[in-house]
Amino acid sequence: ENVGGTTYFYSPEDFAPQFQSVQKEYIFHQQQQQPVVLPNYSFYPGMPSHIAHMKVKANMPQFFLPDEIKMELLNRHACSLMQIDPAQHPDIPTEVDSYHQLYPLEAPPANPLQKSSMFSYPSTCYKAVNTKDCLTYCLKRIHGFRLANTKCLATVDQWKKLYHPNVVQLKEVFTTTAFGDNSLIFVYDFHPVAETLMIRHFSASSTVNGYTTDTTRTFTGSKTSGVSNGPRQHAGLLPESLIWAYIVQLSSALRAIHTAGLACGVMDPTKILISSKSRLRINCIGIFDVLTFDSNQGNYVSLVPHYQQEDLVALGKVVLALACNSIMAIQREQVSNSLELVARNYSTDLKNLILYLMGSQRRQRSVNDIMPMIGARFYTQLDAAQLRSDVVENELAK
């Protein structure tokens, strides 16, 4: 067949395999002597009825992928394929262990010795391609760190086994001198065009891929940019439904981490990635365990329950900051006013959840304890995820 000057060589038999499963479903009808006629061509039959009511109706039939989804996918592809000019970046090695095509995911700090607000070491992020499987990963480099005790790698092995849809998976950890110093490299899955919770909601600045905001502002509220970001009662607050969506995802991630006998240690807006509109993933897992490992403290496992309690407090601080739309809301002198702001603008359940997470409790708390406070909102998030799955599946059929 010749279409527009292009010749296509195919026959109706080429489409037979994709209808084999369909034919099996109609065996019953054939046994009842009901004739079934299957088409010998492939064609998009139109939007299913259960999807039509969720779509914004346009003047023309939508037979192609929506521009919003298409642009998001194209941006992800472009971000994954970006490369640097080696002549312009002589400080970036061409190869680190089995990774090459390194591309910085953040602007270089004004002071090369500036330490991370959380890890107390200078750190940078790179996109790189693995020469073994040709897949793209994110490399988190800890500058000037010499790994003196390999016992901490046992915890790294536990992290590598953890897979959760709201956690950026750790792939491997290794040391290298390719940067001219003793650097520790953490390798994670790469999620292009992701940005941090800090950038999305608390900062006007941005980076190439949003993997770090350590150079802008710390979660404790100390300002390095000279911009005040205190509680804003008259500013637009986040919708409560969005905050609960974040709570469900973050608590689900903590539940998986704590069940595995680990502690997150990085429940911070600068370490939480957002993909698309509201998909969260906790990033930089395992770094806290390696950098703070001390063989003189005894058994690390005995300290995990204490760190897990700190995770719950950190989750409460993140929720309070989101509810007040300000990272200054969690400062000790601002907590009382922040809770009043939450009580005036949000439900009692949200306030009680924050009080429970941030309050001092004598007994050991569990992330499962907040499930009754989430209540039926969990089903709201489940329904939203399934509806989006239906919409995306329909878009793939076009």
Side-chain angles (χ1 to χ4, degrees), residues 57-184:
K57 294 184 178 181
N59 296 329
M60 297 181 62
Q62 298 180 354
F63 294 108
F64 302 98
L65 196 67
D67 293 340
E68 181 182 1
I69 298 179
K70 187 174 183 179
M71 287 305 301
E72 181 179 354
L73 296 177
L74 291 176
N75 287 335
R76 291 183 184 181
H77 295 166
C79 185
S80 299
L81 297 174
M82 286 189 301
Q83 298 185 26
I84 62 171
D85 182 2
Q88 299 294 328
H89 297 271
D91 57 321
I92 299 180
T94 57
E95 188 170 357
V96 177
D97 198 68
S98 58
Y99 296 88
H100 67 115
Q101 296 184 12
L102 274 68
Y103 186 92
L105 297 176
E106 58 190 355
N111 181 8
L113 300 179
Q114 182 177 355
K115 296 181 179 180
S116 167
S117 60
M118 175 167 287
F119 302 132
S120 299
Y121 284 90
S123 63
T124 50
C125 282
Y126 301 92
K127 172 188 72 70
V129 177
N130 191 305
T131 57
K132 297 179 181 178
D133 57 16
C134 297
L135 299 180
T136 305
Y137 296 94
C138 174
L139 306 185
K140 182 72 172 181
R141 173 196 172 197
I142 306 298
H143 300 225
F145 182 85
R146 185 184 296 272
L147 188 62
N149 196 328
T150 57
K151 292 183 179 180
C152 61
L153 297 181
T155 307
V156 171
D157 291 336
Q158 290 182 270
W159 280 113
K160 290 164 60 176
K161 297 176 182 178
L162 178 68
Y163 177 79
H164 190 273
N166 298 117
V167 176
V168 181
Q169 188 177 19
L170 176 64
K171 294 298 184 180
E172 65 172 324
V173 179
F174 61 88
T175 59
T176 182
T177 58
F179 293 92
D181 66 348
N182 293 291
S183 295
L184 187 63

Side-chain angles (χ1 to χ4, degrees), residues 234-395:
H234 304 291
L237 300 177
L238 296 179
E240 184 168 352
S241 58
L242 178 62
I243 298 177
W244 283 111
Y246 289 166
I247 292 172
V248 169
Q249 296 179 72
L250 294 177
S251 60
S252 176
L254 278 187
R255 179 178 177 271
I257 292 172
H258 292 181
T259 302
L262 298 165
C264 177
V266 288
M267 182 60 68
D268 185 281
T270 64
K271 301 298 178 287
I272 299 173
L273 296 183
I274 304 182
S275 301
S276 299
K277 294 183 179 180
S278 60
R279 173 67 178 274
L280 298 187
R281 291 181 178 91
I282 299 178
N283 193 28
C284 297
I285 58 173
I287 298 180
F288 175 80
D289 303 81
V290 176
L291 299 187
T292 60
F293 183 83
D294 187 357
S295 58
N296 297 325
Q297 290 183 349
N299 188 9
Y300 169 78
V301 177
S302 62
L303 301 176
V304 170
H306 170 73
Y307 292 138
Q308 290 178 347
Q309 298 302 302
E310 292 185 347
D311 286 343
L312 298 178
V313 176
L315 175 60
K317 292 181 178 180
V318 170
V319 176
L320 180 59
L322 288 169
C324 296
N325 204 12
S326 168
I327 58 173
M328 296 289 286
I330 65 168
Q331 287 192 345
R332 182 171 300 181
E333 62 272 15
Q334 296 286 355
V335 169
S336 178
N337 295 333
S338 299
L339 290 174
E340 292 180 5
L341 180 64
V342 173
R344 287 197 302 268
N345 294 279
Y346 296 103
S347 65
T348 304
D349 286 342
L350 184 60
K351 178 183 178 182
N352 291 337
L353 181 140
I354 295 173
L355 288 173
Y356 178 79
L357 292 173
M358 296 184 61
S360 57
Q361 301 286 339
R362 293 184 178 180
R363 69 178 184 87
Q364 288 287 103
R365 295 170 296 172
S366 169
V367 69
N368 294 326
D369 297 339
I370 67 175
M371 189 61 192
M373 304 178 194
I374 297 175
R377 299 178 183 89
F378 173 83
Y379 297 105
T380 302
Q381 300 306 315
L382 181 61
D383 294 342
Q386 292 177 335
L387 291 175
R388 175 162 176 78
S389 176
D390 289 340
V391 172
V392 173
E393 183 178 347
N394 176 65
E395 300 300 338

